[in-house]
Amino acid sequence: MDDNSKQAIVNELVARGVNRETAEKLAREKPQECRRQLAALEFRALVPRSQAASLVVAIKQAWEVPAGMDATTASRQDRMTASCPEGELGGEAECFEELGLEFPSLRDAEGLRPWNPRVLDWWASRPGRDAAAVHAARFVLGCYCSARTWSCGRFDLFEAERAWDREARLVFLEWIREYL
């Protein structure tokens, strides 16, 4: 497993509340189990405060997957990558990092650097997130894969236009000029 794949696992674990040191150790020692348990997480009814601890124990003890999940089902990340291997624009990860970083509201967003669409989706789905940031994340994720149903929602130009400031609108217009 390459360093980018391990870093993506670390980022996802940290996004779920696992401390970075533990996440790095688990990603190094049990990368496949990390993926399996991250995929199973959506099928488990956990209180958010206990999610990180339960996830660590599940990885260490190789818990069985929940009844509603097919054990042979690929993780959400693998399914997303299979349907959108390099994004619909055919770009590499750097392309989506750069696009996201153009939006002022996404400059501190998790999941942009390094590019991890699952983490960006999770970040944009958190309660209380600024509307401009959510719309920018939806746009970037939609550019990456419009066929996917993102947790943060689908990009809607009319809603985004109401939430975005002039700078965000200019980023969007520049993208339109360049790609359409």
Side-chain angles (χ1 to χ4, degrees):
M1 176 174 286
D2 66 12
D3 288 341
N4 285 340
S5 297
K6 286 182 184 171
Q7 189 59 47
I9 292 171
V10 169
N11 290 343
E12 180 68 14
L13 290 170
V14 169
R16 299 295 183 168
V18 177
N19 76 53
R20 183 159 297 279
E21 183 179 328
T22 301
E24 288 171 352
K25 182 178 180 189
L26 292 171
R28 184 177 55 252
E29 295 175 1
K30 300 179 178 221
Q32 298 297 36
E33 191 61 30
C34 288
R35 283 188 174 153
R36 193 170 84 89
Q37 296 301 334
L38 282 164
L41 195 58
E42 68 184 280
F43 294 89
R44 291 193 169 106
L46 298 173
V47 176
R49 286 178 288 171
S50 69
Q51 188 177 67
S54 296
L55 184 55
V56 169
V57 173
I59 293 167
K60 288 180 177 180
Q61 296 179 359
W63 284 2
E64 291 297 318
V65 295
M69 180 182 170
D70 177 4
T72 62
T73 301
S75 70
R76 290 175 70 194
Q77 177 69 22
D78 292 342
R79 290 194 310 266
M80 179 174 57
T81 303
S83 64
C84 301
E86 293 184 36
E88 293 180 349
L89 299 177
E92 298 295 327
E94 295 81 23
C95 172
F96 300 104
E97 286 178 17
E98 289 174 19
L99 175 60
L101 292 171
E102 291 293 319
F103 286 94
S105 58
L106 292 183
R107 292 195 179 130
D108 294 324
E110 296 174 42
L112 279 179
R113 187 172 286 149
W115 173 248
N116 185 327
R118 277 186 80 187
V119 173
L120 179 60
D121 185 33
W122 173 85
W123 180 87
S125 299
R126 290 171 50 191
R129 186 69 59 212
D130 175 66
V134 172
H135 290 295
R138 288 174 178 169
F139 174 68
V140 174
L141 292 167
C143 289
Y144 176 75
C145 182
S146 64
R148 169 133 166 97
T149 302
W150 298 101
S151 298
C152 66
R154 293 187 68 77
F155 177 71
D156 181 301
L157 176 60
F158 298 105
E159 288 181 17
E161 190 277 328
R162 285 192 294 272
W164 282 345
D165 62 12
R166 180 172 170 28
E167 191 172 353
R169 288 184 192 115
L170 289 174
V171 171
F172 176 77
L173 289 173
E174 182 59 34
W175 181 88
I176 293 290
R177 279 189 207 101
E178 190 171 331
Y179 289 100
L180 298 181

